[in-house]
Amino acid sequence: MKTKTTKIIYWSGAIFMSLWFGASGFFELTKNPVVWDITQQLGYPSHFIYILGVLKISGVLVLLLPNRLLRLKEWVFAGMFFDIIFAFFSKIAVLGFPAAVDAMIAFSVLSVTYLMFRKLYSSELIFEEA
């Protein structure tokens, strides 16, 4: 795969995930019932929902910075993976399988995006100076 194609796939996925997590984080911080009620129904406390919102917005900002903070971007990817995995299993346990389809879509898109990130930046991450 050519570098240009890899970049297009990476940035498409990064923008999609940024919109996904940015909207979710914004809704959590503004107590929007679309996200807030479902998250409380899953059993998460109010203070945790606010923390999630702040971390999601912060992660989106880091993810959208081109060619910077590469090590921190890896942590953002890890946080997004954990968020999606916890959401998936919480929804399966409480709401049933149909409610978890969005988590499976997000996991797939994030996986491809992360693979393209590693393909583009693996040498910079390995040889990055401390």
Side-chain angles (χ1 to χ4, degrees):
M1 187 180 312
K2 294 185 179 185
T3 304
K4 184 176 180 180
T5 306
T6 304
K7 284 183 180 181
I8 290 170
I9 294 170
Y10 167 71
W11 280 107
S12 298
I15 290 168
F16 178 80
M17 293 313 299
S18 294
L19 290 171
W20 187 299
F21 274 84
S24 175
F26 176 77
F27 290 157
E28 288 162 351
L29 291 175
T30 59
K31 284 183 104 171
N32 186 302
V34 172
V35 172
W36 190 268
D37 293 346
I38 293 171
T39 309
Q40 283 196 316
Q41 189 178 0
L42 294 175
Y44 294 103
S46 301
H47 67 277
F48 183 73
I49 300 171
Y50 285 119
I51 293 167
L52 269 179
V54 169
L55 292 175
K56 286 179 180 180
I57 299 295
S58 301
V60 164
L61 295 174
V62 170
L63 195 61
L64 292 176
L65 286 174
N67 303 321
R68 297 189 196 250
L69 303 173
L70 299 179
R71 186 75 64 195
L72 188 56
K73 278 186 191 188
E74 287 223 309
W75 282 87
V76 169
F77 278 114
M80 287 180 166
F81 275 115
F82 282 120
D83 180 82
I84 292 168
I85 289 168
F86 291 138
F88 175 78
F89 285 110
S90 296
K91 288 180 176 183
I92 290 282
V94 176
L95 304 173
F97 184 78
V101 172
D102 62 338
M104 292 186 299
I105 293 168
F107 186 84
S108 300
V109 172
L110 190 61
S111 295
V112 170
T113 304
Y114 180 69
L115 289 173
M116 296 301 108
F117 171 77
R118 292 297 299 183
K119 191 170 185 175
L120 287 171
Y121 298 110
S122 63
S123 61
E124 285 93 340
L125 287 166
I126 293 169
F127 298 113
E128 188 176 89
E129 292 184 30

